[in-house]
Structure formats: structure tokens, C-alpha cells
Amino acid sequence: MKKILLASGCSFTDENFLSAVHPEMNCDWPKWPELLAKKLDMDYINLGQNGGGNEYIYSSLLEQILKTEDKSQIGLVIPAWTQCQRKDFSLGSTMRWTNDRIDKDGDVFSWMRRALNYCVSFQIMCERYNLEYMQVQMLSPYIDWLWGLKPRDLEIPGKFPEGFRYRYPGDAIKDNKKIVRLIDSYENRINIKKFLGWPLYHEFGGYSLQKRLIGWNNAKFKDDVVFNLINPAIENKYKTMISLKDNHPNKLGHELIAEFIYDRLG
């Protein structure tokens, strides 16, 4: 019996992702957990959910691990962490998860501390059950909020002018320095060898897979959708986005994400 790759994340992981900008588009290409599982000769469970925040990512993995009677079946666990300002909550007896894009309570410091605590708790959980894991920062946790969050894809047409961003209610430069210090305070609590993207801030080599791998420069577009990806081995990272208006990874983007993670598994 093959072992299981267990993954969770936001829309960059969601196996059933549908483009809000291009609803007519068929997006059923294999997502990175499926591609990575194939490279590792594993089966997989993809818990990714569109719009999901870090509470959902952590909780969905925790619940799946707890209900797996034979923990030795789990070969690898990967949380693909997302933006810290998202708010998750579950509803009804089925505990169906939903989310708000921006938490109405707290601020970027409390949101970032919460995100870091999920990272530490996830690590402790995996060590408790002797599970192999790799934490991945899929979306930048806080920088998009500091420098002005873009509207949702479907909010842009007709409602906001091109290039509109929400204004950060503070001093972004000063607060960025404070967040860097907050992240540094967790350095001795995180196994950084098992965290792709650490230390999360770009000043000292941190990154998110989104900003590192997913982009559109030099891609060819037709009706604003990427097409004709001739010789994808050349400058792949510039041809990995669905379109100029939808920055989610396309088929090539998911392949590159899977390769990036696979090459860094110890």
C-alpha cells in the first residue's frame, strides 16, 4: 500500500479551483499535490480550499491526521500557508468551513502572530505523531496587506479603477520592521530546514512560492489568457500564471511548484 501525501492550502492548492475571472476556462489540470505525490510514488489527499486561511489549513490537516487510525500511512504532510489577514470559521453540525478575506478584528501584528503560532503548532503535531512534514509559504503572509491589498478578482470590473489597492491603515515601513522582529522571535521555535520560504520576509532571503514562481513576463497571451507555451523549459517562471487578470498558477505553474518542493525535500 502506498503512503499518503497530505496537503492543504488556499486557492493555489484547491483541486477543484475555478477561475472567477475566466469562468468558461477548464482548470482541471493536475494541481501540485497530485503532481508531487506522483513524483514521490504516493497517493494523496488534497484538502486545499479556495479562499482558505491559515486556521483552515491547520485545522483541516489536524482533523485528517486525527481521524487516520494508522498514522504510518501518512508519508508526508504539507501546509501551503497563505495570507495572515484571512479569517476562517466553521458553520453548522457539518462544520463546513467558510472564510472572510479580511479579519474584522485585530491587526497585522496579531494576525501574523496567529499565523506563526499555527506554524509552531503544526510542527509540534507532526513531531508528536512522528510524521514527515515540510511547511511551505505559498502566498506572502503580510507584505500584500502592508503595501495595499488588491481587490478580489471579481471586485475589479466596474467597481474599482485599474490598479486600485486598499490603503494600509498605518505606517507600512515602520510596521514592516516590527513584523520582521516578530518573525525573528520565532526563529528558535521553527525547524527552518523544513520550512520553504523562511524567514518569510524578503529582506534576508525569505520568499513565497507565489512571488518566486508565478508570473507572466514574456508569456504569450490571447484574449488575456496564456497560450502557445513554446519550449516551456525556457523561463518557465514567467509563463506560469493563468492570465494578466488571474494570477493563479496555470498547468505549468503547478508543475513548477511541485518540482520546486520535490527538489528541496530532504
Side-chain angles (χ1 to χ4, degrees):
M1 180 182 295
K2 290 184 178 181
K3 289 185 177 292
I4 296 170
L5 166 64
L6 181 58
S8 188
C10 60
S11 56
F12 273 57
T13 299
D14 189 352
E15 192 166 33
N16 300 309
F17 171 78
L18 297 173
S19 173
V21 178
H22 309 291
E24 76 290 347
M25 180 182 290
N26 181 359
C27 300
D28 66 354
W29 49 72
K31 308 306 187 292
W32 68 262
E34 178 181 355
L35 296 168
L36 181 58
K38 185 175 182 179
K39 288 176 176 291
L40 296 169
D41 193 28
M42 292 183 181
D43 291 326
Y44 73 97
I45 297 175
N46 184 349
L47 300 169
Q49 179 174 292
N50 186 42
N54 292 320
E55 181 179 359
Y56 168 77
I57 294 169
Y58 172 79
S59 298
S60 62
L61 292 172
L62 171 63
E63 291 166 4
Q64 184 65 42
I65 290 169
L66 291 178
K67 75 180 184 181
T68 302
E69 293 186 8
D70 183 2
K71 304 293 190 290
S72 67
Q73 289 182 326
I74 302 174
L76 180 63
V77 189
I78 300 180
W81 302 114
T82 189
Q83 296 169 330
C84 71
Q85 82 279 349
R86 298 183 182 185
K87 174 67 175 178
D88 302 294
F89 48 95
S90 54
L91 297 170
S93 59
T94 61
M95 301 296 286
R96 179 180 59 84
W97 284 92
T98 186
N99 57 79
D100 288 330
R101 193 183 186 210
I102 301 173
D103 193 341
K104 298 180 179 64
D105 300 312
D107 57 22
V108 67
F109 304 108
S110 62
W111 302 334
M112 195 63 211
R113 186 178 295 109
R114 177 177 63 190
L116 290 164
N117 285 340
Y118 283 132
C119 296
V120 174
S121 296
F122 169 79
Q123 177 178 302
I124 292 171
M125 172 179 63
C126 288
E127 292 171 351
R128 161 66 176 82
Y129 290 110
N130 196 29
L131 299 175
E132 290 294 328
Y133 67 92
M134 178 64 80
Q135 303 199 58
V136 171
Q137 192 63 49
M138 184 62 73
L139 270 61
S140 295
Y142 68 92
I143 202 66
D144 291 324
W145 176 253
L146 285 186
W147 300 118
L149 195 65
K150 293 181 180 179
R152 289 182 186 269
D153 294 335
L154 285 181
E155 288 181 323
I156 297 173
K159 185 175 180 180
F160 297 101
E162 185 175 353
F164 174 87
R165 289 176 180 268
Y166 292 101
R167 185 176 180 180
Y168 173 65
D171 188 321
I173 294 176
K174 288 183 179 180
D175 289 351
N176 183 71
K177 293 178 180 178
K178 294 177 183 178
I179 295 173
V180 167
R181 290 196 294 270
L182 172 62
I183 294 171
D184 283 344
S185 72
Y186 279 75
E187 181 86 17
N188 62 352
R189 306 170 189 174
I190 295 286
N191 183 347
I192 61 176
K193 294 181 179 179
K194 293 189 175 184
F195 201 127
L196 299 184
W198 191 266
L200 309 182
Y201 48 84
H202 67 272
E203 290 90 337
F204 295 98
Y207 60 89
S208 69
L209 268 62
Q210 175 199 19
K211 294 192 183 301
R212 188 159 186 165
L213 302 177
I214 309 303
W216 57 268
N217 287 340
N218 299 329
K220 295 184 178 182
F221 288 83
K222 181 178 182 180
D223 297 329
D224 199 32
V225 177
V226 179
F227 82 117
N228 286 348
L229 297 180
I230 301 171
N231 193 4
I234 299 176
E235 296 179 335
N236 278 349
K237 71 176 183 178
Y238 300 116
K239 304 173 181 177
T240 53
M241 200 165 85
I242 286 178
S243 78
L244 287 169
K245 295 179 180 178
D246 190 333
N247 67 353
H248 289 88
N250 58 18
K251 180 177 183 292
L252 188 59
H254 278 280
E255 291 171 357
L256 199 60
I257 290 171
E259 290 173 7
F260 187 89
I261 297 172
Y262 178 77
D263 289 344
R264 288 158 181 79
L265 292 174

